[in-house]
Amino acid sequence: MNKQKLTGSYYTSSDLSNFITNLIVDSLPFKPSILEPSVGAGSFIKSISETEILINLSGIDIDGDAIVEAKRIVVNGSKRFLKKDFLDYKTNKKFDLILGNPPYVHSKHLSAEQKLKCSLISKSLDLPLSTAKNLWAAFLLKSIKLLSPTGMLAFILPTDILQLKFAIHIRDLLQVVFDRVEFYTFENLQFECKGQDTLALICYKEHKNKGVYFTSVSNKELTTGRIKKVKKNVGLVTSDFKWTHHFLSSSEIGLLRYLKGNFSPLDKYCKTGSGIVTAANKFFIVNDSTEEQYALASYTKPIIQKGTYVNGKLNFSKSELKKLKREGVATRLLVLDKESRITKKIQAYLDIGVKNNIDKRHKCELRELWYSVPNVNKSPKLFFLRRFYEHPKFLKNSSGAFFTDSAYYIYPEKGVSKNNLLYSFYNSVTMCFAELEGRYYGGGVLELTPREFKRLPVPYIEIDKNRFMKFQKSFGKKNSIDNVLEQNDEYILKGHFGLASSEIEMLCSIRHKLICKRKRK
C-alpha cells in the first residue's frame, strides 16, 4: 500500500501556508504561543518566520527527520520541538494558535491502539466514538481542547468535514466552541494526491462578528492573498444540506427545501441491493478466451464489470452485452460452489488464484470456499451506478447480466412499474438532489451511497407505454442530459405538479452551478 496513504503525510505548499498565515497574523496577540501538531516539511513554520511577530513556538511530529529539518528554521522568538505522536502528547499548556495540516488516514488503516486513542479523544468532548473516523478528525478535536480561552485554530482539512455524515458532530462542536468559523474552499486541488480535495478552516474563540462564513478561493487569490469577502450562509447552516454547497443563495436553498418536503423519497418506490462483490474482479470475471481455455463455460454467468460499459444508455440489452464480448471485454462471472465438479482444467485455473494469493484476500478467507462468490442469485431488472461524472445513471437491464458492486440493484415496490420509476427519475429536482446528497472527489466524480440514493426526492407519475418509448428513443439520441430533462421537466414538474417556469429555470441554474463546482469549471 502507498506509504502516504498509511501515514497521511501530504506536505503543504508555501503558497497555501503563506495564504493561511496572512489571514490570521493580524489577529494574533503579542508573542503568541503557537502549536503545530504535525510539523511535516515545516511550511507553516517558514511562513510564520517570514512575519515580524515574536512567537513562542512548539512543534510536534512523529517523524524524527521532520523535526531535524524544522529545528534549522530560524524564527523570531523561541521554539521547541518534540518527536512524538500527537495522539500521545500531554501538556497543561494552552495555546493562542494551533495550526497545520494534520495527517489524513482513514480509521481502517489505523492500529487498534490508535483507534482507541481516537475514540477516547471523541469521548472526552462528549461526541460519539465514531466521530474520529479519520486521523485528521482526532487531531482537530484534540487541538480544540488545547486552545486558550481566546485561542485560534487554522487547519488544512479534507472537504470531508463539509459533506460526510460523521463530520456533522464536528461542525456542531465548532459552532459551540468558537464565535466565528471560516471555511475557504479552493479552485484547484492543493496536493498531488488523487482525489483529495481540501479546504482551509480558521476558527476564533472570540470575535465580534459571530457566525459561520464561507468563500471560494481562486488560484490568483491564493497566490496574491487578496480574497473576496467571506459570507454567511444561514440558510445552508440551518438546513440538512452538505456545506460543500455554500455558494448557493438563500432563495435557491429555500426552493430546494420546499421541493424536498413535497416529494417522496426514492425508498417509497423501490428497495436497493448490492451488486456482486467478487473480491478480485480480474480473477473471477473472465473473457471468452479464458473461459474456453479452462473449460469454465458450465460455471459462468454474464456480468457487467464497469459503469463505463453502459454510458449513454437507458436500457442495457443482450445485444449490448454481445457487443462487449466481441470486443474482448471480460463479461463472464465464475460461479462455483461445493456442488460444482472441479475438473483438472478448472483446478488449474484455481491454482493460478492460489499462486497469486487470491485465496488470502480478506473477503475470500471469510468464505467457506474461497473461490465461491456469494449472492449470485437473480440478475436485477434495474440498476443504478454508484459513481458517475456527467449525470446519474439509472438503467433497465434486459441483458440478464449481473453487475459488480459498482452498481446498486433496484427492486420496485409492488404496484410501481419500472418504466414509471425510470421516467420519473430523470427530472431537474431529482438531478439536483443527486448533486446535493452525493459526495464528490477531487477528480469531479460524484458518488451516492445506498442511503443517499434512497433519500433522493422523486416526483413520481404514471405514464403509458407510448410515452415511455418516446422517452427511451429521445434518451438514446440526446446530445446532453439537458435535452431529456427539459422535456421531462415540462411534462412532470410543470404539467403534473404545477411548478412555475421560473422555479424550473432556477432548478436548472442550481444544477449547473453544482456540476460546475464539482468539476471545477
Side-chain angles (χ1 to χ4, degrees), residues 463-475:
I463 57 172
D464 58 31
K465 185 176 180 180
N466 287 335
R467 177 164 288 278
F468 184 81
M469 295 304 292
K470 288 179 181 178
F471 165 62
Q472 184 168 279
K473 188 175 181 180
S474 64
F475 198 99

Side-chain angles (χ1 to χ4, degrees), residues 40 53 119 130 230 274 296 300 320 355 403 418 422 484:
I53 61 171
S119 296
S130 60
V230 291
S274 177
L296 304 173
T300 62
E320 297 287 349
K355 183 179 179 180
F403 215 109
K418 298 189 295 290
L422 271 176
V484 173

Side-chain angles (χ1 to χ4, degrees), residues 70-182:
K71 287 180 177 179
R72 294 173 181 167
I73 302 171
V74 178
V75 299
N76 185 18
S78 62
K79 59 182 181 179
R80 175 177 176 268
F81 294 99
L82 183 63
K83 178 184 179 298
K84 199 175 189 65
D85 185 341
F86 182 59
L87 297 180
D88 296 323
Y89 179 61
K90 294 179 181 178
T91 181
N92 292 323
K93 186 175 182 179
K94 298 296 183 180
F95 296 90
D96 298 312
L97 170 66
I98 301 179
L99 83 170
N101 177 18
Y104 311 160
V105 184
H106 194 278
S107 59
K108 66 183 179 183
H109 299 306
L110 299 178
S111 67
E113 185 181 3
Q114 286 175 308
K115 289 178 184 177
L116 176 61
K117 291 173 185 176
C118 291
S119 296
L120 291 175
I121 291 170
S122 295
K123 186 179 180 180
S124 69
L125 288 163
D126 295 323
L127 297 177
L129 299 183
S130 60
T131 303
K133 274 196 170 183
N134 198 298
L135 208 50
W136 68 258
F139 270 57
L140 175 63
L141 296 176
K142 183 162 184 172
S143 296
I144 289 173
K145 294 185 66 178
L146 294 176
L147 283 174
S148 70
T150 58
M152 296 167 52
L153 185 143
F155 268 11
I156 299 168
L157 297 174
T159 51
D160 293 355
I161 193 172
L162 299 181
Q163 59 181 344
L164 296 191
K165 185 181 178 183
F166 81 86
I168 292 174
H169 301 289
I170 298 176
R171 298 202 301 265
D172 289 344
L173 179 69
L174 293 178
Q175 293 178 79
V176 171
V177 172
F178 297 100
D179 276 356
R180 182 181 176 96
V181 178
E182 299 175 350

